[in-house]
Amino acid sequence: MTSAAEGVLGSGPAPQAGGRVKAFLRLVMIEHSVFALPFAYIAALTAMFQLDRRMHWGELLLVTVCMVGLRTFAMAANRIIDREIDSRNPRTAGRELVTGAVSVRSAWTGAGIALVVFLGSAALLNPLCLMLAPIAVVPMVVYPYGKRFTDFPHAILGLAQAMGPVGAWLAITGEWSWDAVILGLAVGVWIGGFDLIFGCQDVAADRAEGVRSVPARFGIPAALWGARGAHVVTTALLAWYAVATDAGIFFWAGLLIVVCAFLYEHSIVTPHDLSRLNRAFFTVNGVIGICLFLATLMDLFVRGFSL
């Protein structure tokens, strides 16, 4: 079904190509790649350190292209699949597919291009990355449907995000690594946890539309406690990763910053006050990824990593 807004806006002059591209980038929130990229870099750089202690710039560039390509595809698919639900939620009614700023055809075109970029860069990395690439695509598509059949779609999102560090490690070494799995699990549980927080703002709309989630099913207090538990597990997994990879003092210092960020995040969002939820979701979680990446980079340089 086409929304009234899409019908009205779609009847006007076609936007210029540059405007369509900008609108698509707004649709997929390209700037939010900052959440996933730092952990892919942590995995890739640690793998390089263990391999020969040298920076492999070509592989790092391809890892970046892979991550951005897959995330762009995932976001576009999410927006397309959810456009009818989004049109009935006041918070999301201004999204580009609802207003008509981006047509469904343009969104699918952008998603297709992003998918080709992802698969092409995976092929350039090594045969194992190309062989496993389709597996990484599956949860990206399943996630938006998850809210239709399970109260725990956050777990599907976590699984999707957990693949990033694992894939980045495979991109460098071409071999499986349980260290990368530990880091991937940490990322997945972390993102699943803050998705629990983010979902709290849509409880009323989700219940009205039959959209399923932990906050909608169990309530906001339960969701926030679930997020706290998830972030405790994240901290434990990051500590495990540090031990497994013989990380030094700078990584542990970065982990301490992450713990402080978690404590702050959970102090500013309460069941009775969600007014600072966006600060917790966007600002704090962006800081977590960047700080831990910088701490890892410093740690690796101190231990003999070279450009």
Side-chain angles (χ1 to χ4, degrees), residues 188-293:
V189 175
W190 166 54
I191 291 181
F194 77 64
D195 194 52
L196 286 173
I197 299 173
F198 193 70
C200 289
Q201 63 191 321
D202 291 329
V203 167
D206 286 351
R207 287 173 175 169
E209 294 296 329
V211 175
R212 301 175 67 174
S213 70
V214 167
R217 173 65 178 83
F218 300 102
I220 292 174
L224 294 181
W225 276 109
R228 291 168 188 147
H231 292 159
V232 169
V233 173
T234 299
T235 302
L237 286 168
L238 289 174
W240 185 8
Y241 174 78
V243 172
T245 58
D246 296 319
I249 186 65
F250 284 105
F251 185 93
W252 287 101
L255 182 54
L256 179 60
I257 293 173
V258 169
V259 171
C260 292
F262 281 152
L263 292 173
Y264 174 72
E265 179 178 51
H266 290 287
S267 72
I268 64 174
V269 179
T270 69
H272 306 293
D273 183 8
L274 301 178
S275 62
R276 291 179 289 181
L277 187 147
N278 281 337
R279 185 192 304 176
F281 185 79
F282 297 115
T283 305
V284 177
N285 287 301
V287 166
I288 285 173
I290 292 171
C291 284
L292 195 61
F293 163 67

Side-chain angles (χ1 to χ4, degrees), residues 9-190:
L9 295 175
S11 63
Q16 298 298 312
R20 288 198 296 268
V21 172
K22 290 180 180 177
F24 178 77
L25 293 178
R26 289 197 303 272
L27 174 76
V28 299
M29 304 176 76
I30 194 69
E31 68 277 8
H32 289 174
S33 299
V34 70
F35 293 140
L37 271 175
F39 288 91
Y41 288 156
I42 289 171
L45 294 177
T46 305
M48 292 176 194
F49 178 80
Q50 293 189 2
L51 188 65
D52 57 14
R53 301 198 173 197
R54 291 192 304 107
M55 178 74 78
H56 297 249
W57 290 104
E59 284 86 348
L60 191 64
L61 175 60
L62 287 173
V63 166
T64 304
V65 174
C66 270
M67 291 292 295
V68 175
L70 182 57
R71 185 198 170 277
T72 300
F73 166 77
M75 283 294 294
N78 186 307
R79 295 293 191 253
I80 293 167
I81 294 166
D82 279 351
R83 65 189 186 279
E84 294 299 332
I85 292 174
D86 288 344
S87 70
R88 297 189 291 271
N89 184 334
R91 183 180 67 83
T92 57
R95 285 178 175 169
E96 289 75 10
L97 278 172
V98 178
T99 64
V102 176
S103 68
V104 175
R105 178 180 296 179
S106 294
W108 275 124
T109 299
I113 293 171
L115 183 59
V116 169
V117 167
F118 166 64
L119 294 174
S121 52
L124 291 172
L125 282 163
N126 57 61
L128 183 59
C129 283
L130 178 60
M131 182 176 68
L132 296 178
I135 298 175
V137 174
V138 173
M140 305 297 179
V141 178
V142 173
Y143 168 63
Y145 288 110
K147 61 179 68 73
R148 294 161 170 84
F149 63 81
T150 177
D151 293 324
F152 304 96
H154 327 278
I156 304 174
L157 177 63
L159 174 63
Q161 298 299 322
M163 293 186 179
V166 177
W169 197 294
L170 290 173
I172 303 305
T173 66
E175 298 178 352
W176 183 260
S177 167
W178 288 108
D179 292 346
V181 172
I182 297 170
L183 182 60
L185 287 173
V187 173
V189 175
W190 166 54

